[in-house]
């Protein structure tokens, strides 16, 4: 059945290194969301796209984070340079805006990032 | 500002007992509401949703939720909990422009 996929599932890196996380939304979905989950902050929305256009990235630290959708089948979240406080689980979710399934989001399994 | 509160950080119930998880929202217009469940190491899975109509909503895995506008609540219930229900539960409300605001979550433990 259709699922959101994320790669890598786990990433350990050193402070200052670049990290790229990838997401493949469910085919046909036109909205993509990036969330960060930590024990302290819970689930935070970082950015989201509709029809590949970025609509809101106000939750994302602009100086080091960037999110893109090169095409409809791929979304990327990049951190450069990474810092230990970026350690978290990053989730991608996709949905069909305007189809009647109003804002129901389907989540990927997440990327667990550890920055040493 | 829109917000979602889940007053209980952690709940423990015995297997077979009934369950109610509380959710309160703050939103000016008619809310669209969700409950999601997150098992350890997994992403979030939709349990049920309320858009309009019948205020008692049935979901998967035997869960239901009742929307009460007068109390700004959308509590999740299950009549008999199974050990496999142990997980984190998130209430969420849709705001404008497709954005969903999640509550802080309630962690459920089930004891045999």
């Amino acid at each position: 059945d259709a699922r959101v996929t994320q790669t890598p599932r786990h990433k350990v890196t050193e402070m200052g290194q670049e990290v790229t996380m990838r997401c493949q939304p469910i085919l046909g979905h036109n909205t993509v969301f990036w969330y960060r989950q930590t024990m302290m902050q819970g689930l935070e929305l970082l950015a989201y796209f509709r029809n590949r256009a970025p609509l809101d990235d106000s939750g994302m630290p602009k100086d080091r984070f960037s999110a893109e959708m090169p095409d409809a089948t791929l979304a990327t979240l990049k951190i450069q340079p990474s810092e230990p406080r970026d350690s978290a689980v990053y989730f991608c979710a996709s949905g069909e805006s305007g189809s009647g399934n109003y804002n129901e989001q389907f989540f990927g399994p997440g990327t667990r990032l550890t920055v040493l | 500002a829109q917000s979602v509160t889940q007053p209980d950080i952690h709940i423990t119930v015995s297997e077979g007992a009934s369950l109610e998880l509380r959710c309160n929202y703050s939103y000016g217009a008619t809310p669209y509401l969700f409950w999601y469940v997150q098992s350890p190491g997994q992403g979030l899975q939709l349990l049920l949703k309320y858009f309009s109509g019948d205020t008692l909503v049935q979901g998967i895995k035997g869960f239901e939720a009742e929307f009460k506008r007068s109390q700004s609540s959308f509590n999740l219930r299950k009549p008999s909990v199974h050990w496999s229900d142990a997980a984190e539960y998130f209430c969420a409300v849709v705001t404008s422009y497709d954005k969903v605001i999640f509550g802080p979550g309630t962690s459920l433990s089930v004891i045999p």
Side-chain angles (χ1 to χ4, degrees), chain B residues 16-84:
Chain B
S18 63
L19 171 71
E20 183 169 30
L21 302 181
R22 297 183 290 165
C23 170
N24 293 97
Y25 66 90
S26 172
Y27 186 60
T30 300
Y32 299 103
L33 297 158
F34 301 89
W35 273 100
Y36 283 84
V37 61
Q38 184 181 27
S39 298
Q42 304 294 316
L44 278 69
Q45 179 185 20
L46 183 69
L47 279 177
L48 48 77
K49 58 193 176 187
Y50 171 78
F51 291 162
S52 64
D54 194 345
T55 56
L56 185 62
V57 180
Q58 301 298 319
I60 63 171
K61 304 185 181 186
F63 285 91
E64 66 178 25
E66 186 170 13
F67 170 61
K68 292 184 178 180
R69 183 186 300 275
S70 61
Q71 299 177 19
S72 297
S73 70
F74 188 56
N75 294 349
L76 182 71
R77 300 194 295 247
K78 185 169 185 178
S80 178
V81 170
H82 188 261
W83 63 266
S84 61

Side-chain angles (χ1 to χ4, degrees), chain A residues 4-5 12-13 29 32 36 39 41 43 45-46 50 75 84 88 95 98 101 103-104 108-109 111:
Chain A
V4 175
T5 58
V12 180
T13 190
H29 282 184
V32 172
R36 176 172 61 186
M39 289 290 291
Q41 300 297 326
L43 203 58
L45 177 66
L46 296 176
R50 186 193 295 150
N101 293 314
N103 290 319
E104 177 178 342
T111 294

